[in-house]
Structure formats: structure tokens, C-alpha cells
Amino acid sequence: MGSVKFTETILRDAHQSLMATRMKTEEMLPIAEKLDKVGYHSLEMWGGATFDACLRFLNEDPWERLRKLRKVIKNTKLQMLLRGQNILGYKNYPDDVVEEFVKKAIENGIDIVRIFDALNDTRNLKTALNATKKAGGHAQTAISFTTSPVHDIDYYLNLAKEMESMGADSICIKDMSGILLPYNAYDLITKMKQSIKIPIQLHSHFTSGIANQTYMKGVEAGVDIIDTALSPLGNGTSQPATEPMLSSLKGSGREPEYNMNNLNEIAEYFTKLRNKYEKEGLLKSKVLGVNTKTLIYQVPGGMLSNLVSQLEGQGAIDKFEEVLEEVPKVREDLGYPPLVTPMSQMVGTQAVFNVVLGERYKMIPTEIKNYVKGLYGKPTTPIKDDIIKKIIGNEEIYTGRPADLLKPELDNYREEIKEYIEQEEDILSYALFPQVAIKYFKYRQAQKYNIDSNLLNKDENTYPVV
């Protein structure tokens, strides 16, 4: 079977999972060259929440991050996570925006685009997949893994075959909640290897404490690539730690030839960073342990902390357990969507409303209504009539591809921000996060022209446009 390859996530998913995506570009660059020399299959360093976090919290241009790292990392493939038609946001975007975003991501240095859809609706993957291949990138489609009465092995095998027939270059089993059990992984991957010819990658989180064992059984079954994170930011709600996983494979005949001394040297650098993050309060102890409730409720680590925040904000933290029990009930009502962005936030918010208000579906977020109307895609299993009636009454349900309802928008976005544009990529930043991007563009101008950055906090109309 050959050596299993590793994708290193410390520059993206690891710090997104453990510390809300707060690692800065200036903290990545000093170690980038050493990371490049390890021999990883790829470095996942962009996409997911990094784009939003760069603009919103770090006053950084995410495009510049990509360019700077690409300049230093000359040998290892750079990888990103893309939410299909949602790109990196929380709603569907028109095809012209998706196509341009993917094109610019690859132009600026991305090699592999991992594309997933929260509902595993392949119609929502098609535009991004085709755009990736057209731009010369590697299109990896991801299966959002979950369990339910309808998510059986045949479901996943059929999905994998469909993705391969669409032109995917590889497939990732994306176990965002850390609930794929070891022997189930062995069975699934064994059968997938028999059914499809393209490489299979396995991605999990250590949240429930089983991902190491799942990876080992996946490797035995012939998985081609696994996602790991160097130990200072590994385990917890992150990926299994790189160094112990490498050591565990010794004698298997599948261990890659990575130099442990090199890995330890890189880990020492990130250990210092981790210590700094802990002092700054960015790294919370609750994300470092194992939470076996994940196996019961399927709630990913990021969703857990989000539920805590919502309940604390409403003075109802004592209802946390009740909300956890409500989550799978809401999920069943809604046709068993996988709990991954944006469905995890939507299901979680509905569960909070149901419990805090003491009546199920008394208050319903607009996003849930739009989901039931078919505007996010097709549920895994049809939603029951009484739930549909309760949520949207007699409103019509759309059964087509959601993005077919959207008109091209790029030219409109370009016109709306013409006074701020310094690069074509700015239009895409604005398309995804309009208010956050505008605030960043103003900050960028303030830095460039030595304008008092305190003006950023004043009324928008008083801020000088240069």
C-alpha cells in the first residue's frame, strides 16, 4: 500500500479548533521554512475560519497571508478548506463569486482545495469543483461524516462514487465531531478503496478521545492520507498529534520517512507560542480535554463552546444539559443534517430557543426557515409534514440547486467598494464579509496614510476616504 501521507493542520484547523483561529501570519512565517522541509503531503493553512478571523480580529489581509507563506513554502502543497457554494461564509453565493474566489485562491498559491457541503448535497460542490480543476488546482471533495438511521455505509459509498464521477481528484472523510469509530472506519475505508480509484484522506478531531484509534484502523484499511496537528496544538478539539501518530506507525510498513528531530524542533517553536496563548487567555482548558458526550450528541467542539456562549448570554447556563439533549431531537426533525458549519450553528440555536422558551419551535431563526424551504440544499431524509407546517406553514419548498436562484454579483460588489479597492481580491473579501471587510479597508488606509486609527470607531460618514 505504500507509506501513508500526513497533512499538517497546525496553521489552520488546529488553532481554529483550540483558540478561535487567532494565530497571526507573523507567528507562522519564522517556522514556515522548517515546516516545508518535513516532507508533508500538504500544509493546511487557509480557508475555514481563517479568512474571517484575519479581517475581523487580526487586522490582516488573508490574501497577503497566503502570498507570504507561499513565498517561503516552496516544496509542500498548500491546502485550504472551502464550504462549497458557501465559500468561506455562512450562506450561498452566486456562481460568479465562487468561480472567481477559487481562481484567485489558486493564483495566490493554493494547490489543494478541500470542498465540502454541510448537507452532502453534491449540487453545492459542483461549481467550486469545476472552478478548481479549471484553475489547475487539486479538487478534493469532502464527505461530511455523521451517524443516523439513514447514514449507513451504502450512503457513503454512493456519495463517494458520485464525487468521483463528478471529477474529484481525491475524497476526504471529514469527521468534524470525532465520532467515526475505529472499526467502522476500517469497514468504510476498505469498501471505499474497492469502490473508487482516487486517493482517500481521513480527517478527524480528538474531541471524543477516539481519533487516534480511528486513524490506526484507517491506515490498516489503506487510507492514503491522514490529517494531524503538531503536539503543542494537537489533540483536544484539534486533530490527533503528529509526532505520536508517526511513532505509532513504526513497524506497520506504512510509516512515512519524516525526521522526528525536525518535528521536535518545530514543536518547540509552537510550544513557546502555546505558552503565550495560554497567558493571553486564548487557549481555554475546556478545549484541551476529552468530551465523551460528543459520541452521544454528536456536537463538535466549536459548537459546544458556541452553545455555552449563547446560554450564558441569556442567563440560562443551567439548561446546558437540556440543550445538549435537545440537539439530536432538532436534528432528527430537520432530516438528520450533519452538524458542521453552518448547520451546526443553526441546529444549536434552534435547540437553545426550544429549551429556553419552554416551547419547541415557538421562535424559529430565518436560517432554519430557509433550510426547510430548500434554500440550503436537500435534507438527507425528507422532513416530516408536521415539522414543515410548524416551521414554514404553507410556503413553497424549492427543490432545485439553491445557487440557481442567485444572480451574478461581482460587478455590483466592485462598484460598491470602488474607492477602497487596492487589489482585485478585495472585491472577494467584501463579497464574503461586507461590514468586516470595509472596517479592515479603512484600517488599511489609516495605516498607509498615517490617519488616526481611532477614527475607525467613529461614524462611518466621518471617516475620510483617501
Side-chain angles (χ1 to χ4, degrees), residues 136-341:
H138 176 110
Q140 180 181 86
T141 53
I143 292 170
S144 298
F145 181 83
T146 188
T147 61
S148 79
V150 290
H151 288 90
D152 55 17
I153 278 197
D154 285 341
Y155 168 85
Y156 289 119
L157 292 178
N158 290 332
L159 193 53
K161 287 177 195 170
E162 185 180 355
M163 289 173 168
E164 183 180 41
S165 69
M166 288 170 68
D169 296 307
S170 63
I171 290 176
C172 174
I173 301 167
K174 180 178 166 61
D175 176 24
M176 56 279 173
S177 302
I179 57 172
L180 176 56
L181 299 173
Y183 287 94
N184 290 349
Y186 182 85
D187 198 16
L188 174 59
I189 291 164
T190 298
K191 288 178 178 170
M192 278 180 72
K193 293 296 283 184
Q194 293 165 355
S195 303
I196 61 172
K197 304 300 179 202
I198 55 178
I200 300 168
Q201 187 152 356
L202 181 55
H203 168 95
S204 190
H205 291 250
F206 197 73
T207 318
S208 67
I210 63 168
N212 279 354
Q213 295 93 305
T214 297
Y215 276 17
M216 293 297 285
K217 293 304 290 183
V219 170
E220 282 181 29
V223 82
D224 298 280
I225 313 151
I226 54 176
D227 286 8
T228 63
L230 282 157
S231 55
L233 293 178
N235 296 335
T237 53
S238 176
Q239 278 70 55
T242 305
E243 308 94 309
M245 183 55 59
L246 180 63
S247 295
S248 299
L249 290 170
K250 279 187 179 173
S252 68
R254 299 210 63 203
E255 65 271 25
E257 293 181 7
Y258 302 153
N259 187 307
M260 189 62 87
N261 291 329
N262 290 352
L263 289 175
N264 286 337
E265 198 177 324
I266 298 166
E268 281 174 21
Y269 175 85
F270 283 108
T271 298
K272 290 172 187 170
L273 273 185
R274 176 191 160 125
N275 293 340
K276 180 175 84 79
Y277 298 141
E278 284 179 330
K279 284 176 188 171
E280 291 171 354
L282 284 173
L283 205 59
K284 310 286 186 189
S285 59
K286 68 183 176 187
V287 298
L288 300 175
V290 165
N291 192 325
T292 52
K293 283 185 179 146
T294 305
L295 296 168
I296 303 168
Y297 304 121
Q298 298 197 25
V299 176
M303 185 179 171
L304 275 175
S305 54
N306 194 38
L307 289 176
V308 170
S309 299
Q310 286 187 48
L311 290 168
E312 283 177 345
Q314 297 183 46
I317 194 63
D318 59 307
K319 296 188 184 293
F320 182 61
E321 289 292 330
E322 207 178 328
V323 169
L324 277 184
E325 289 170 15
E326 178 66 11
V327 165
K329 295 174 187 173
V330 172
R331 186 169 165 257
E332 181 179 354
D333 288 345
L334 297 179
Y336 295 107
L339 293 179
V340 65
T341 304

Side-chain angles (χ1 to χ4, degrees), residues 22 30 49 52 56 60 101 103 116 125 140 145 162 164 167 202 213 224 245 305-306 350 379 385 418 442 446:
R22 294 300 199 275
D52 186 2
R56 191 184 301 269
E60 285 189 23
F101 188 94
K103 179 185 163 196
F116 79 94
L125 305 175
Q140 180 181 86
F145 181 83
E162 185 180 355
E164 183 180 41
L202 181 55
Q213 295 93 305
D224 298 280
M245 183 55 59
S305 54
N306 194 38
Q350 186 64 67
D385 289 342
K418 58 186 176 184
K442 290 175 177 179

